[in-house]
Amino acid sequence: EQQANLEKLGRHLQTVTRSVLAVRINHTGAGAKGNTSADAEQIANNLFGNLVGGTDLVNLHSQYKACSHDKLLFTPAADRFGNSGVSIVNGVVEVTA
């Protein structure tokens, strides 16, 4: 119904896809109390769900897609494997500080 109303107003929204990169920081320096956040796999699942083989049905991707009527789509940043050991996997990169 909302789409029909937008068309009546002459407003035709284009579909936009954005790549998302989450950064997980492993703090190991002085005063570090260990990692308290989710691991990289959990973060990817929470953001992208089944796009990365996860099980989270309510996530960043699914909710923006639903609320925008499939007009705003968030996808994981492409996998990249760096020479320094820092890699992007399922839209998440881990760095050590």
Side-chain angles (χ1 to χ4, degrees), residues 23-27 35 37 43 93-97:
V23 179
R24 181 173 189 268
I25 299 173
N26 295 312
H27 180 56
N35 293 316
S37 68
I43 293 170
V93 64
E94 292 189 76
V95 296
T96 300

Side-chain angles (χ1 to χ4, degrees), residues 13-90:
L13 301 176
Q14 63 179 341
T15 300
V16 177
T17 301
R18 295 288 183 240
S19 177
V20 175
L21 176 64
V23 179
R24 181 173 189 268
I25 299 173
N26 295 312
H27 180 56
T28 59
K33 296 181 181 179
N35 293 316
T36 58
S37 68
D39 63 25
E41 185 176 330
Q42 291 169 316
I43 293 170
N45 185 35
N46 292 341
L47 292 175
F48 308 112
N50 64 358
L51 286 180
V52 294
T55 58
D56 191 343
L57 299 178
V58 179
N59 53 66
L60 178 86
H61 167 78
S62 69
Q63 296 309 291
Y64 269 94
K65 181 179 177 186
C67 289
S68 69
H69 298 277
D70 298 336
K71 298 296 183 186
L72 179 56
L73 307 174
F74 288 117
T75 59
D79 288 355
R80 294 186 184 118
F81 302 97
N83 294 333
S84 64
V86 177
S87 300
I88 299 170
V89 178
N90 291 332

